Amino acid sequence: MFERFGDLPLHVLVIHLAVVVLPVAALTVLVYALVPRWRWLLRWPALVLGVGALVCAFVAKKSGEAFVAAVPTLQKTVALHQSRGNLLFWYCLIFAVVAVAAFLLLGGPSALASGKGEKATTSRPLELVTQAAVVVIAVLVIWQTIRTGDAGAKVVWTGILPK
């Protein structure tokens, strides 16, 4: 299921999606958590991107495993990339949980004149803890996405792939 899309290995396609979606999701949820006046606008995009990041990371991980299973000579070559990708998946899992928590716990004013869409925050300490969790995990997701992508790109572009 995760091996090919048409004539291409699925991993080659999915990683490009992950490299875009994961940082965009992290930045969106970060702004959602830290800028209360934008929460009414970013509430649903933050939730969708937060969960979508987990889906992208899962498909990238599984398609990468299928790619290595199809070409076993890659195992040693992509070991660093694979271990970083595994860690990135776990960061994305935590990120999705934190994004859902932020969606449920963080409130803010509405930009609508009617006040529709305004949501009260449950408690200030809970808001601060949620914001701190978002900042930490969003930075980790961005950092690990860069590290994972760099390790994979070095394998491909330095010519150390087996022929």
Side-chain angles (χ1 to χ4, degrees):
M1 176 174 170
F2 292 105
E3 192 172 320
R4 301 191 81 68
F5 183 80
D7 290 339
L8 290 173
L10 181 61
H11 189 67
V12 173
L13 299 173
V14 172
I15 58 166
H16 290 91
L17 180 65
V19 163
V20 173
V21 170
L22 271 57
V24 167
L27 292 172
T28 301
V29 176
L30 194 61
V31 171
Y32 172 74
L34 297 179
V35 185
R37 67 176 176 226
W38 285 11
R39 288 184 187 154
W40 69 275
L41 177 66
L42 294 177
R43 181 178 276 43
W44 286 102
L47 177 67
V48 170
L49 285 168
V51 174
L54 176 60
V55 172
C56 284
F58 176 77
V59 174
K61 179 182 181 330
K62 288 298 182 185
S63 64
E65 291 168 356
F67 190 36
V68 170
V71 186
T73 55
L74 290 176
Q75 185 64 46
K76 280 186 175 179
T77 309
V78 298
L80 178 63
H81 175 65
Q82 190 172 18
S83 68
R84 287 181 179 176
N86 289 337
L87 182 58
L88 178 58
F89 170 74
W90 290 109
Y91 284 168
C92 287
L93 180 63
I94 296 166
F95 176 71
V97 170
V98 170
V100 170
F103 176 83
L104 295 173
L105 298 173
L106 297 178
S110 172
L112 302 175
S114 67
K116 208 172 192 174
E118 184 171 342
K119 184 177 185 238
T121 299
T122 51
S123 75
R124 182 70 177 148
L126 191 56
E127 180 178 15
L128 292 173
V129 168
T130 305
Q131 288 175 320
V134 166
V135 169
V136 169
I137 197 63
V139 168
L140 284 173
V141 165
I142 292 169
W143 175 69
Q144 192 64 18
T145 300
I146 292 167
R147 291 181 69 227
T148 304
D150 181 61
K154 282 181 179 172
V155 167
V156 171
W157 294 107
T158 57
I160 58 173
L161 281 174
K163 298 196 188 231

